[in-house]
Amino acid sequence: MKILITTDLFTTETNGVVTSVKNLWNELKKKGHDVRILTLSDKMHSHKDGAIYYIRSVPLGVIYPDVRMPISYRHHLIQELIDWKPDVIHSQCEFFSLQFALRISKLTGTPIVHTYHTLYEQYVRYITPSKRLGKFIVRTVSRRRLKRVERVVVPTHKVEDALLSYGLHNPINVVPTGISLEQHKKRISPEKRLIKRQALGIAEDDLVLLNLGRLGNEKNLNELMDYFAEALKHYNHLIFLIVGDGPAKEDLEKQADELGISKHVIFTGMVSPSEVQDYYQLGDIFVSASTSETQGLTYVEAAANGLPLLCRKDLCLKDVIMQSENGYQYTNIEEFLTALDAIIKHPQWRVTAGKRSEEIAATFDKSTFGDAIEAVYEMVTEDNLTPVE
């Protein structure tokens, strides 16, 4: 099968969409499919690198980091893909690269599958403070952008429910995004873990609450900071390790100062993707207060690294956290503190929960993801060949 994947982003290392696209690309190639990628260049000129087609663009970082806009939707590289005539187009972004997909589809008659990765209601706060207006914008734009798409793929029922509430009538398939587990199966030695923790100023008997990811306001880390400060009143050997960078970092550092807990909060900044598993394993408990995730790949990664999870309740966690088996979900500070107290007082449970997390994470392996997406392609291509009576 000839498969064209279109995406606004492909080279960024710290983006969930990019991770999903790369894993899908690799799995489809393993299955023997002819797969090509159409994306935006990080330069002012277009070029081709094997099966990857980069179209010239300009930066729009003022809107969101790494976002770029194409200069033109007509180029000889796009014509090359039109002449190639893919069997299916899989669009991964609702904005610029979807236009490429729509144009190629119109000229070739190729069906489009679109993966809706992001719940934009959590992000329109950067554009308007009005939640009501923000939801109206997201609902209207999403419905209009996807009306020419044959089938929509979503990572969780949470996203499916959101799209249905927008009035979307396209067929929807729920396919959890797969991750590459190989990296997260690697284990650092106790000696290396101790050295790395000491280098960060973490004592041997400290219990580390870990959060890893982009530091954006939508991640709700300010809530975790408040809850952590309250927990310190009961346990003074706690450390909050925050791995990553983003626009909210400065405010979070200021919040830690104001709460008087700076000595217990460590910001590592951005870390190398090749070392991410080491940083997960420096923690004892993975924590998150985000409700902006469509699936939350960091939850699955943390589980794959053998961590119990303590996270704000969210529909996307339905198949990731099994209450009291590998972690807890909370809805308020009382539930957070009660769960944390139980985790701290039962070290053997942490070991058992960590193993259960690994078992759960295994169900999100990228090979399962590849099989499910391949089945979706077969559905849309068969539908495309079926004559209308």
Side-chain angles (χ1 to χ4, degrees):
M1 190 181 292
K2 294 190 289 187
I3 302 163
L4 174 63
I5 299 176
T6 62
T7 175
D8 288 3
L9 300 169
F10 188 68
T11 55
T12 304
E13 294 287 350
T14 55
N15 181 280
V17 175
V18 176
T19 299
S20 175
V21 171
K22 288 184 176 179
N23 285 338
L24 178 60
W25 184 39
N26 289 328
E27 288 304 306
L28 292 173
K29 287 192 297 181
K30 284 182 188 177
K31 292 174 175 292
H33 296 294
D34 184 0
V35 189
R36 302 187 186 185
I37 306 286
L38 177 58
T39 188
L40 302 183
S41 170
D42 59 1
K43 302 178 179 63
M44 289 283 287
H45 69 273
S46 302
H47 63 284
K48 178 181 171 183
D49 182 9
I52 308 172
Y53 294 66
Y54 295 94
I55 303 300
R56 59 186 178 176
S57 66
V58 292
L60 288 178
V62 67
I63 296 177
Y64 189 83
D66 302 311
V67 168
R68 300 182 68 90
M69 180 178 71
I71 297 172
S72 171
Y73 285 95
R74 296 178 183 274
H75 193 275
H76 71 85
L77 290 178
I78 298 174
Q79 186 60 49
E80 184 177 319
L81 291 169
I82 293 170
D83 296 338
W84 176 58
K85 199 178 185 308
D87 296 307
V88 64
I89 301 170
H90 192 163
S91 166
Q92 303 284 336
C93 299
E94 291 77 32
F95 299 105
F96 305 115
S97 58
L98 177 57
Q99 288 302 119
F100 294 131
L102 291 171
R103 181 165 184 266
I104 294 171
S105 173
K106 182 179 180 180
L107 295 173
T108 61
T110 303
I112 300 175
V113 172
H114 179 84
T115 293
Y116 197 91
H117 291 276
T118 307
L119 288 177
Y120 295 100
E121 290 176 40
Q122 302 289 336
Y123 295 88
V124 289
R125 69 180 72 179
Y126 294 113
I127 301 172
T128 173
S130 169
K131 288 185 178 181
R132 187 173 181 179
L133 176 59
K135 186 168 184 176
F136 173 78
I137 293 171
V138 171
R139 181 175 64 245
T140 303
V141 171
S142 296
R143 194 170 58 238
R144 288 179 178 174
R145 296 296 287 168
L146 300 181
K147 66 181 180 180
R148 287 173 54 193
V149 170
E150 276 72 20
R151 190 169 290 267
V152 177
V153 171
V154 296
T156 61
H157 289 288
K158 173 183 177 179
V159 185
E160 180 186 32
D161 290 346
L163 291 182
L164 292 174
S165 75
Y166 298 164
L168 197 74
H169 298 297
N170 311 56
I172 299 175
N173 287 82
V174 180
V175 181
T177 299
I179 69 170
S180 177
L181 293 176
E182 288 83 0
Q183 176 182 3
H184 300 290
K185 289 178 180 177
K186 298 175 183 177
R187 294 292 178 261
I188 59 175
S189 67
E191 295 78 17
K192 184 178 179 181
R193 182 175 188 264
L194 180 61
I195 291 170
K196 278 182 166 286
R197 281 169 61 118
Q198 287 177 339
L200 290 169
I202 302 171
E204 189 172 356
D205 62 343
D206 283 337
L207 189 134
V208 176
L209 280 63
L210 171 92
N211 181 273
L212 187 149
R214 178 177 180 271
L215 306 187
N217 293 324
E218 71 281 354
K219 303 298 184 181
N220 203 22
L221 279 164
N222 58 308
E223 175 184 283
L224 273 181
M225 195 73 76
D226 285 335
Y227 287 13
F228 178 73
E230 190 63 32
L232 278 173
K233 295 177 182 178
H234 306 279
Y235 298 97
N236 60 12
H237 66 295
L238 300 179
I239 293 292
F240 190 8
L241 181 61
I242 300 175
V243 182
D245 207 346
K249 184 182 178 183
E250 187 176 338
D251 287 342
L252 290 168
E253 290 174 329
K254 182 180 178 183
Q255 183 182 2
D257 284 336
E258 293 173 347
L259 290 169
I261 61 173
S262 293
K263 291 182 179 180
H264 293 266
V265 181
I266 300 171
F267 293 87
T268 69
M270 193 70 72
V271 301
S272 169
S274 64
E275 295 183 294
V276 164
Q277 71 280 358
D278 290 359
Y279 281 89
Y280 276 119
Q281 293 169 45
L282 296 184
D284 296 295
I285 309 164
F286 180 82
V287 293
S288 174
S290 176
T291 56
S292 68
E293 312 301 324
T294 53
Q295 179 175 341
L297 295 182
T298 55
Y299 301 138
V300 181
E301 290 178 353
N305 279 279
L307 290 180
L309 290 78
L310 177 56
C311 304
R312 174 165 277 284
K313 189 173 184 178
D314 192 71
L315 188 57
C316 78
L317 291 167
K318 179 177 180 290
D319 297 317
V320 181
I321 295 181
M322 303 301 169
Q323 195 76 352
S324 79
E325 290 184 25
N326 74 315
Y328 295 92
Q329 296 187 57
Y330 68 88
T331 59
N332 53 50
I333 189 169
E334 288 78 17
E335 292 177 357
F336 176 89
L337 294 174
T338 298
L340 181 60
D341 182 68
I343 293 171
I344 292 172
K345 288 180 176 177
H346 298 91
Q348 185 54 48
W349 177 88
R350 295 202 298 271
V351 175
T352 304
K355 291 178 181 178
R356 182 71 178 112
S357 279
E358 292 177 28
E359 293 171 357
I360 292 169
T363 64
F364 291 87
D365 186 81
K366 63 180 182 177
S367 62
T368 304
F369 173 53
D371 291 342
I373 293 296
E374 184 183 47
V376 173
Y377 294 163
E378 290 170 354
M379 277 190 281
V380 296
T381 53
E382 287 174 8
D383 291 344
N384 203 45
L385 293 173
T386 303
V388 178
E389 296 182 358

